[in-house]
Amino acid sequence: MTEGIDSLRAGLVQACRELAQTGLVVGSAGNVSARAGDRLLVTPTGARLAAVAEDELAVVDLDGTLVDGPLLPTSELPLHLAVYRSFDAGAVVHTHPPMATAVAGVADELPCIHYTLLSLGGNVRVAPYATFGTDELAATIVDALQERTAALMGGHGAVTYGADIAAAMAATQLLEWACGVYVHACACGTPRVLDDQQRRVVAEALATYGAPVRVPSAPLP
Ligand SMILES: [Zn+2]
């Protein structure tokens, strides 16, 4: 029963390449997963995301037991499992992006300094440091992700999730961009944070923002 999982392989490998090419991970850092039913497709431990192959990905069940694949799954498997158990996630992306990791090293949160952060839930919390690969780290991340699809990891990096790998990747890219904006803003002043009323209005608008809108007179395809 790997049919559903197999349909995710190409997209996961493409995401790995993109993360490496855009500098969101270096070397063997970072790991990615996607879910189909009660199976997860995850990057293998020690893999360089720039070069990971479709047939090197590991298939595990929701208890983390290896079901298929030639290599052991990522050492951050407890983190991925905890996110799937706690949230309605179709994919999880864990990276060490430079700007996000910088902010995670000094701040308690990325404040909501830009309206697009509301698509991640608003301000993004920094989870306290815990050793990589541990259940303790997984628990701190689940706490930080409450009502959010992104979290920063103190002394470590970032994690995002989404309905599918495209959504989880977009969340990681937005988070890294916003952290860069925040760092630049802090360098030249005190960043202004969106107030409650501004957030409410944007949250309502974002519910439909980005979806194609048909011109009323356009003929059906
Ligand atoms: Zn990591």
Side-chain angles (χ1 to χ4, degrees), residues 21-201:
Q21 285 165 3
T22 55
L24 296 173
V25 296
V26 290
S28 61
N31 33 78
V32 175
S33 67
R35 177 177 183 169
D38 59 359
R39 294 285 187 269
L40 305 181
L41 189 65
V42 302
T43 46
T45 188
R48 291 178 60 249
L49 296 194
V52 70
E54 287 186 32
D55 59 6
E56 290 177 330
L57 299 172
V59 179
V60 302
D61 65 19
L62 293 177
D63 294 324
T65 304
L66 183 66
V67 175
D68 188 30
L71 301 169
L72 290 177
T74 170
S75 54
E76 289 292 12
L77 186 60
L79 165 61
H80 290 257
L81 292 171
V83 174
Y84 289 109
R85 287 183 190 131
S86 306
F87 307 102
D88 186 18
V92 176
V93 172
H94 164 54
T95 51
H96 299 172
M99 288 300 177
T101 306
V103 172
V106 297
D108 295 324
E109 66 167 17
L110 170 67
C112 189
I113 53 158
H114 193 276
Y115 76 91
T116 53
L117 284 173
L118 287 162
S119 67
L120 305 178
N123 61 323
V124 177
R125 302 183 188 99
V126 176
Y129 178 81
T131 307
F132 77 93
T134 61
D135 290 333
E136 181 191 2
L137 175 67
T140 67
I141 297 302
V142 167
D143 285 348
L145 279 172
Q146 295 300 318
E147 299 174 342
R148 305 286 187 279
T149 55
L152 296 166
M153 305 160 67
H156 191 150
V159 61
T160 63
Y161 73 86
D164 53 25
I165 188 63
M169 285 287 289
T172 290
Q173 290 156 347
L174 173 60
L175 177 62
E176 175 63 357
W177 172 82
C179 285
V181 170
Y182 182 58
V183 168
H184 287 303
C186 289
C188 58
T190 303
R192 284 189 287 272
V193 177
L194 271 68
D195 64 31
D196 288 347
Q197 170 64 10
Q198 290 167 332
R199 293 183 209 201
R200 250 193 312 276
V201 172

